């Protein structure tokens, strides 16, 4: 089982940017789809962005399209989420996730399909 560790969360004002990182304990290329999900207290965990195991295809939640970009550095076994033009409603605990195979969009919409989770990193956006 791949182990995941997030970093890069913090507090920022609306309109600002943050970049989250997720270090994987092993190579994920062509093995694991990778993704970012988020959750606020009292709400269900939701998909933010996912990337296929080959690094070619991605899916984004409508709420972040055009503002967030998911990417990976295969040499470092690291996944990134560049978040620009942040809004207060982006405030949440952000989790890195991995899943072997399957449809990307289906995974984005159904976080319960995730097989491996990181511990999470908090992002707080103030107005």
């Amino acid at each position: 089982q791949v182990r995941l560790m997030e970093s890069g969360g913090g507090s920022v004002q609306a309109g600002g940017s943050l970049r989250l990182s997720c270090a994987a304990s092993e190579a994920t290329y062509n093995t694991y789809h990778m993704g970012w999900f988020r959750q606020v207290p009292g709400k269900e965990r939701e998909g933010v962005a996912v990337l296929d195991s080959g690094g070619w295809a991605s899916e984004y939640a409508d709420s972040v399209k055009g503002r967030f970009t998911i990417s990976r550095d295969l040499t470092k076994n690291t996944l990134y989420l560049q978040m620009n033009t942040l809004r207060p409603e982006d405030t949440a605990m952000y989790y890195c996730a991995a899943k072997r195979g399957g449809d990307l969009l289906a995974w984005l919409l159904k976080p319960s399909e995730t097989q491996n989770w990181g511990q999470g990193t908090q992002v707080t956006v103030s107005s």
Side-chain angles (χ1 to χ4, degrees):
Q1 295 277 1
V2 63
R3 295 185 302 278
L4 307 169
M5 181 171 291
E6 304 92 336
S7 61
S11 297
V12 65
Q13 288 193 324
S17 298
L18 281 174
R19 188 177 79 157
L20 305 184
S21 299
C22 170
S25 61
E26 61 187 70
T28 58
Y29 179 65
N30 276 344
T31 303
Y32 291 96
H33 296 333
M34 301 293 293
W36 292 96
F37 294 77
R38 66 187 181 187
Q39 189 171 23
V40 298
K43 290 193 173 182
E44 302 254 329
R45 194 167 295 189
E46 65 175 6
V48 176
V50 292
L51 186 65
D52 81 324
S53 60
W56 297 105
S58 59
E59 295 284 354
Y60 292 88
D62 288 343
S63 60
V64 306
K65 280 180 183 175
R67 300 188 298 123
F68 290 12
T69 303
I70 189 171
S71 63
R72 68 203 297 177
D73 184 332
L74 298 177
T75 64
K76 297 179 180 178
N77 295 337
T78 301
L79 181 75
Y80 301 101
L81 184 69
Q82 178 66 44
M83 305 185 293
N84 297 329
T85 320
L86 282 160
R87 304 168 180 167
E89 53 265 39
D90 294 318
T91 295
M93 184 72 79
Y94 282 72
Y95 296 91
C96 180
K99 179 178 179 296
R100 285 182 181 266
D103 182 77
L104 271 187
L105 183 57
W107 182 33
L108 182 74
L109 299 176
K110 197 173 182 182
S112 59
E113 292 188 357
T114 298
Q115 294 157 344
N116 303 91
W117 291 106
Q119 294 298 306
T121 185
Q122 178 68 37
V123 171
T124 302
V125 184
S126 58
S127 57

